[in-house]
Amino acid sequence: MRKRYIFAFIFLSLHCQSQTYLKGNAVTALALIPNIGIETSIGQKFTLQADVMASFWKSFDGHHPMEFYSLVTEVRYHFHEKYNGFYFGGHAGADRYMLQKWNYWDTNQYEDGFGYKFGGTIGYEKKLNDKLMLDFFVGGGWHQGYYHGRYNDGTPGRYDKAEHWNISGDWLPYRGGIMISYRLN
């Protein structure tokens, strides 16, 4: 019961003392991959953003799987004014995927797994008016994936020889776009 009161107090404090923006990524929307988020103030020059992105595409061409779901939380430091100007953010996230990596496009193999990521984002936010803002950003970092290597042509079994999960870590650019933001309060 005590945890509920603490959570309610923190939520109401953030809501009463801060501006909160609901955001949608215009660039990923063009590829029919929704990326939505929420950003709220947590200090004089700091904001907290959480966003989700999902590709519901089973495949772009019927052969290469491209389905994934991602959640990222990020703390941002704004160099001048919050919600107006340059910022740097540090983030952590998790994902679930069934996709064929770029270096497997000429094979019949794909990866079915999950992962986590840690990285950074640089961006620039530009207020258009009292309610609307644009957020231009790029980011990436370390992604650690755990997957089963599968065949996409009906071949049974796995192509990888790992007993449980195949493990792969990569430095990748995995965030970017233009978020159209609407102020809620």
Side-chain angles (χ1 to χ4, degrees):
M1 188 70 162
R2 180 182 226 164
K3 290 180 184 178
R4 288 185 195 167
Y5 289 123
I6 292 170
F7 176 77
F9 174 76
I10 291 171
F11 178 77
L12 289 174
S13 296
L14 285 174
H15 187 68
C16 292
Q17 299 296 323
S18 64
Q19 294 177 347
T20 301
Y21 283 88
L22 184 61
K23 308 170 104 177
N25 193 332
V27 175
T28 61
L30 293 174
L32 300 177
I33 299 174
N35 179 201
I36 59 170
I38 191 163
E39 183 177 8
T40 192
S41 175
I42 58 171
Q44 186 175 3
K45 289 195 172 199
F46 290 93
T47 59
L48 175 68
Q49 176 168 308
D51 63 82
V52 294
M53 181 167 53
S55 168
F56 303 107
W57 294 88
K58 298 295 182 192
S59 172
F60 285 124
D61 62 0
H63 183 68
H64 300 96
M66 291 299 295
E67 187 174 2
F68 66 87
Y69 311 92
S70 176
L71 168 67
V72 174
T73 57
E74 179 170 70
V75 174
R76 294 177 168 182
Y77 173 78
H78 298 261
F79 293 105
H80 298 290
E81 175 187 355
K82 278 188 298 196
Y83 307 117
N84 200 18
F86 286 102
Y87 66 85
F88 173 78
H91 61 260
D95 51 38
R96 170 75 175 98
Y97 53 87
M98 287 180 286
L99 59 83
Q100 191 167 30
K101 295 187 335 185
W102 64 272
N103 55 339
Y104 284 77
W105 277 66
D106 60 348
T107 72
N108 65 340
Q109 301 169 345
Y110 74 98
E111 291 71 39
D112 180 2
F114 62 94
Y116 62 86
K117 51 193 159 198
F118 297 99
T121 303
I122 56 171
Y124 183 84
E125 292 179 327
K126 176 66 177 160
K127 284 187 179 179
L128 300 176
N129 59 38
D130 191 42
K131 287 287 193 180
L132 293 175
M133 174 181 70
L134 294 178
D135 178 1
F136 305 87
F137 69 102
V138 295
W142 178 256
H143 181 270
Q144 183 68 51
Y146 299 86
Y147 63 90
H148 293 148
R150 306 226 185 259
Y151 296 102
N152 62 8
D153 63 359
T155 303
R158 292 170 44 187
Y159 72 78
D160 60 349
K161 304 300 180 213
E163 186 176 332
H164 298 289
W165 293 96
N166 199 344
I167 301 171
S168 175
D170 297 296
W171 288 95
L172 298 169
Y174 50 73
R175 294 174 58 75
I178 303 169
M179 289 280 206
I180 299 171
S181 309
Y182 177 77
R183 194 176 95 191
L184 298 175
N185 56 353

